Amino acid sequence: MSRKHRFTGRVWKFGDYIRGDSGILDFALIRDHSKPFNEKDLAANCFKNIRAEFADNVRKGDIVVAGKGFANYNHPQVSLAIKAAGIRCVLCESCEPSLVRKALNVGLPVLPVPGITRIVEDGEELEVDLEQGSIRNPKTGAALATSVLPERMLGIIEHGGVIEYLAYQKMIHGTLTRLDIGRRKAAE
């Protein structure tokens, strides 16, 4: 098992129904159509409306634990802001499936884990093993199982996002995807 898929992190715990575009990231305030998004600005504004101390106190490798309906109504920049802030993964009671996909695109694992808010408190540590699908609170010994991530998803997370993963695949195999191979054959 890759060590990149097994880690321990300090928990930032949030409640239920934290909206993506108005709670995690005040999208209206950072939106400037004249320039691209700046990851430092996104990180500095992450969770600012909910926990003002977050940006100053978050450490690389920390974990977000949240309740039901996490990050509903979110733009892709919400996942990027969470990752840019240094968060290693998000474990929530539930979330929109689109959040899982948007976060995976930037290499941030988001896992719905029913019962997660009952086994950990803010500031405690969690041990997470994405390959085995296990989560454990070393302080209390409480543990939960979650979905085992497929090898391709683990690869995307390990390389930091979909674009980086595809670039790696092209470098190793000389092609991007099976779809790309199919397009080449159809063109011949």
Side-chain angles (χ1 to χ4, degrees), residues 4 6 28 41 50 52 56 82 100 103 111 116-117 120 130 137 147-148 151-152 155-156 161 168 175:
K4 292 183 181 195
R6 183 176 55 205
D41 289 343
I50 301 168
D56 292 330
I82 295 169
V100 175
L111 301 172
I116 189 65
T117 57
V120 67
L130 297 175
N137 181 331
S147 300
V148 174
E151 187 176 326
R152 182 166 293 170
I156 292 169
Y168 172 77
T175 60

Side-chain angles (χ1 to χ4, degrees), residues 93-134:
E93 294 285 342
S94 66
C95 65
E96 291 180 346
S98 66
L99 174 66
V100 175
R101 291 189 302 273
K102 291 172 190 174
L104 183 63
N105 284 341
V106 297
L108 175 69
V110 172
L111 301 172
V113 185
I116 189 65
T117 57
R118 292 191 301 265
I119 72 161
V120 67
E121 295 302 323
D122 195 57
E124 291 182 343
E125 289 194 339
L126 280 179
E127 296 170 348
V128 178
D129 187 330
L130 297 175
E131 192 170 318
Q132 299 298 315
S134 65

Side-chain angles (χ1 to χ4, degrees), residues 19-80:
R19 290 178 61 114
D21 288 350
S22 60
I24 298 169
L25 187 63
D26 195 341
F27 198 73
L29 292 179
I30 62 156
R31 182 84 186 201
D32 181 349
H33 295 283
S34 67
K35 59 184 177 182
F37 286 99
N38 178 308
E39 286 189 31
K40 287 183 181 181
D41 289 343
L42 292 174
N45 285 286
C46 190
F47 293 109
K48 186 177 183 177
N49 290 340
I50 301 168
R51 292 185 64 176
E53 78 280 9
F54 181 83
D56 292 330
N57 295 300
V58 67
R59 296 187 305 239
K60 185 175 176 145
D62 283 354
I63 297 170
V64 165
V65 169
K68 300 173 192 166
F70 180 71
N72 286 343
Y73 309 108
N74 68 84
H75 282 82
Q77 290 79 9
V78 170
S79 299
L80 186 57

